[in-house]
Amino acid sequence: MTDLLKYAIELVAVLLLALGIKGLSKVRSARGANQLAALAMGLAVFGLLLNYLGTSGISIAAWTWIIAGTLVGGVLGVITAQRVPMTSMPETVALFNGCGGMSSLLVALAAALYPAVLEAAGPVAVVSIVVSVFVGAITFTGSIVAMAKLQGWLSTPDWMQSRARHAVNIALAVGSLVGAVEMLRNADSSTGLWLVVVASGLLGIGVTLPIGGADMPVVISLLNSYSGVAAAAAGFVVGSQLLIVAGAMVGAAGLILTQVMCNGMNRSLVSVLFGGALGATAATGGGGGEYTNITSCSVEECALTLEAAERVVIVPGYGLAVAQAQHTLREVTRVLESAGIDVSYAIHPVAGRMPGHMNVLLAEADVPYEQLQEMDQINPEFPATDVVLVLGANDVVNPQAKSDPNSPLYGMPVLDVQDARTVFVVKRGMSAGYSGIKNDLFELANTSMLFGDAKKVLGDLLVELKDLGLGKK
């Protein structure tokens, strides 16, 4: 009866997880889908505990630790989810990926260091332990490095941009392979086990540390895929079919998302992992030089132009998240909509610092899902757009991606905002984006710069629009 109940729980959990992952593909259903996936993982934990119910090998003390750990982890997760600001969400996702990798690593280590498990382990279990340790260690250290870089705690050393890093990473990979072979030859070899742990952990650092901030969306989605692979391998270790299925689904979804991110940046995965930071090529590529023909304007001029517009497109970027200006932006768009102006948002797949960053940011401000339009959908509409308001975006609106073959951005799909009648760009200054190159959009005749913090500029713009009579019933 217990086995039947366990399999029923696992089947329900797998179905809920599949529905959850499917629902995450759409903004409207993403929140509910996330809750379904969380319920599925809760059932997974319950099913695994049910499998060991009544097992004589598990003491009351062990059950106490399991229950206490579950409660403490759950409370910490809730607190973290409620307190983390949107600007820190990429770092939080990287940390969660690292926690997933560490969990799989610890499960595999526990199995490898427990003699009774190794004695009964077959070849598949030993291989699963090796894979879980290897991928879990890389995921954990790589995710922690990614989080530290996004947080500004780490920067890439100069030597990590040289070819010497490849030799170091290859040596670490060989060390991991030697340890894995030793474990396969002798399952209870502690030397082989710890060699895999140390070498693969250092390899995660060595691969992630040279990667620049522009490529972080790709890295985060790839590490998410790694955490799924590690979880699937851990599922073989503990004999959990649900963990195997869930890990495989997460691994596949993360890999697909990684490819989508690479396509959105016109970058191959090989160039992201082994080519170093995108900005490193800017010095030798095209697109350099100083700005010579910049037109700036006042908030009043921007408000007058918006008042006369029929269609307005907002292009959000990481600068909007930094300024925490999404709620002020929503107030501005409400005023425009009350005046009969059509408002929509152009979402580039790699805007921000993680996949879907802008979608989540705008959802927090209660922006209607119908107004969020992907790049392929919105690009043909720019020629019929009166005003485009660019907020903190840079490389994703740079025309060099289509016009300059020598530019590091050349070939990257971008938003064609330059085709609109008028473009206003809100920036603190003239600093370059992650690519390290100038943006030709800023010098076009139909572009005007609004310098200042996005939240203050939008606040002033809101006041001006109301003074013009917009928003009054």
Side-chain angles (χ1 to χ4, degrees):
M1 184 65 182
T2 302
D3 288 342
L4 181 61
L5 180 59
K6 172 201 167 188
Y7 291 132
I9 290 175
E10 289 191 344
L11 177 60
V12 172
V14 168
L15 292 175
L16 289 177
L17 186 64
L19 290 173
I21 292 179
K22 182 178 185 299
L24 289 173
S25 63
K26 297 183 181 299
V27 176
R28 178 181 293 277
S29 58
R31 180 172 295 181
N34 195 41
Q35 293 170 348
L36 280 179
L39 177 60
M41 297 314 296
L43 287 175
V45 173
F46 178 72
L48 186 62
L49 294 178
L50 187 65
N51 187 45
Y52 291 105
L53 189 64
T55 302
S56 58
I58 300 182
S59 64
I60 296 178
W63 280 106
T64 303
W65 279 108
I66 291 172
I67 295 172
T70 302
L71 292 175
V72 171
V75 170
L76 289 176
V78 170
I79 293 174
T80 301
Q82 291 179 340
R83 292 190 176 183
V84 171
M86 285 306 305
T87 47
S88 298
M89 194 58 68
E91 295 95 307
T92 306
V93 172
L95 179 60
F96 284 165
N97 289 337
C99 290
M102 175 56 77
S103 299
S104 302
L105 172 62
L106 291 176
V107 168
L109 282 176
L113 296 173
Y114 191 58
V117 175
L118 288 177
E119 289 174 2
V124 173
V126 175
V127 171
S128 300
I129 290 173
V130 172
V131 172
S132 189
V133 169
F134 176 71
V135 181
I138 289 179
T139 305
F140 173 68
T141 56
S143 297
I144 296 302
V145 168
M147 181 196 72
K149 293 196 72 175
L150 289 171
Q151 195 69 19
W153 297 340
L154 277 180
S155 58
T156 304
D158 292 338
W159 73 270
M160 289 296 286
Q161 293 293 349
S162 68
R163 295 184 182 274
R165 75 180 189 278
H166 298 309
V168 174
N169 290 336
I170 290 173
L172 292 171
V174 170
S176 300
L177 181 61
V178 170
V181 171
E182 177 60 22
M183 285 188 66
L184 294 175
R185 287 179 60 252
N186 183 9
D188 60 353
S189 172
S190 59
T191 302
L193 173 65
W194 292 114
L195 180 58
V196 175
V197 172
V198 174
S200 55
L202 292 175
L203 182 60
I205 297 173
V207 171
T208 310
L209 191 56
I211 298 176
D215 293 326
M216 273 304 158
V218 177
V219 176
I220 290 174
S221 59
L222 182 61
L223 289 170
N224 183 44
S225 178
Y226 285 175
S227 68
V229 172
F236 281 103
V237 174
V238 299
S240 172
Q241 290 82 2
L242 176 60
L243 195 55
I244 295 170
V245 174
M249 293 174 68
V250 172
L255 194 59
I256 293 171
L257 182 58
T258 300
Q259 187 58 47
V260 170
M261 293 296 104
C262 286
N263 292 339
M265 299 173 65
N266 193 38
R267 299 266 282 161
S268 69
L269 185 57
V270 173
S271 67
V272 170
L273 294 178
F274 305 111
L278 178 62
T281 60
T284 57
E290 299 294 331
Y291 292 101
T292 58
N293 188 28
I294 294 295
T295 301
S296 61
C297 72
S298 65
V299 174
E300 292 84 356
E301 293 173 287
C302 180
L304 288 170
T305 306
L306 287 171
E307 181 193 25
E310 295 182 0
R311 175 170 171 76
V312 175
V313 174
I314 312 294
V315 179
Y318 186 66
L320 179 69
V322 171
Q324 286 288 283
Q326 64 270 24
H327 296 285
T328 309
L329 172 63
R330 182 63 185 128
E331 291 301 316
V332 170
T333 56
R334 282 196 177 101
V335 169
L336 295 176
E337 291 163 4
S338 68
I341 299 172
D342 180 26
V343 178
S344 57
Y345 299 77
I347 309 298
H348 192 280
V350 295
R353 286 189 173 180
M354 73 173 185
H357 195 179
M358 295 300 104
N359 301 71
V360 177
L361 185 76
L362 295 173
E364 185 186 38
D366 296 325
V367 172
Y369 300 129
E370 297 78 10
Q371 293 183 357
L372 306 183
Q373 298 188 34
E374 301 296 332
M375 178 176 58
D376 293 339
Q377 181 183 5
I378 194 70
N379 267 347
E381 300 182 15
F382 280 118
T385 300
D386 297 306
V387 178
V388 172
L389 187 61
V390 180
L391 298 164
N394 201 320
D395 293 332
V396 298
V397 294
N398 194 334
Q400 282 187 23
K402 294 187 175 182
S403 62
D404 186 358
N406 296 318
S407 172
L409 294 177
Y410 187 70
M412 172 180 168
V414 294
L415 294 166
D416 297 330
V417 298
Q418 71 279 354
D419 294 336
R421 294 185 180 90
T422 304
V423 180
F424 292 105
V425 179
V426 179
K427 278 178 65 69
R428 290 177 180 270
M430 297 306 299
S431 59
Y434 278 126
S435 65
I437 62 176
K438 64 182 290 188
N439 191 335
D440 289 350
L441 172 70
F442 301 163
E443 294 187 310
L444 296 181
N446 62 334
T447 299
S448 297
M449 307 296 297
L450 275 166
F451 293 110
D453 176 79
K455 189 170 186 177
K456 184 180 185 308
V457 170
L458 289 172
D460 294 342
L461 182 61
L462 180 62
V463 172
E464 291 295 332
L465 290 173
K466 289 181 177 180
D467 287 345
L468 290 173
L470 274 72
K472 296 181 179 179
K473 300 295 185 181

